[in-house]
Amino acid sequence: QVQLVESGGGSVQVGGSLRLSCAASGYTARRYCMGWFRQAPGKEREGVANIFIGDGSILYADSAKGRFTISQDNAKNTLTLQMNSLKPEDTATYYCAIGSGPCTLTTPYYPYWGQGTQVTVSS
């Protein structure tokens, strides 16, 4: 079975940083997409960033560009989201996900999800 476990969430002040990690197992495809999504209370889940494990292509949501960095360590089967210059609007539960493609930031293309890790940014 495919398992995704997020970690690294917490509470941070405006302008601070957090590093989220996702430990993945059970997905053996040679080329696939891994992404980070987030969901705030009362809002729909939205894409943050993804990476195509095949050619290394990366997509960022406009809200993440210049502040967040997505990376994948294939040797450790770990997906990372480095978040800098955090803002209150970044407060959400963050999820990692895996899909076979197309590699987009829309949730229907990702059938496998972790349980999420909470990020709270206060001023």
Side-chain angles (χ1 to χ4, degrees):
Q1 70 281 358
V2 177
Q3 290 188 329
L4 301 168
V5 181
E6 301 94 338
S7 62
S11 297
V12 65
Q13 293 184 344
V14 171
S17 299
L18 284 172
R19 187 177 181 89
L20 307 183
S21 295
C22 173
S25 64
Y27 199 86
T28 59
R30 196 170 81 90
R31 306 204 309 174
Y32 55 95
C33 297
M34 296 189 71
W36 286 99
F37 296 77
R38 67 187 184 186
Q39 187 168 22
K43 296 184 178 181
E44 294 185 347
R45 193 168 299 184
E46 63 178 3
V48 177
N50 69 26
I51 182 169
F52 180 44
I53 311 304
D55 65 7
S57 298
I58 292 174
L59 292 176
Y60 291 102
D62 288 341
S63 61
K65 291 180 180 178
R67 300 189 300 127
F68 296 179
T69 302
I70 188 172
S71 61
Q72 192 256 356
D73 186 337
N74 188 55
K76 298 181 179 180
N77 294 320
T78 301
L79 182 71
T80 298
L81 184 68
Q82 178 66 47
M83 305 188 296
N84 299 324
S85 301
L86 285 164
K87 306 174 181 179
E89 51 263 44
D90 295 318
T91 296
T93 301
Y94 284 71
Y95 302 87
C96 66
I98 291 179
S100 61
C103 207
T104 72
L105 289 173
T106 56
T107 59
Y109 296 105
Y110 295 83
Y112 302 106
W113 296 83
Q115 293 299 306
T117 185
Q118 179 66 38
V119 170
T120 302
V121 184
S122 60
S123 60

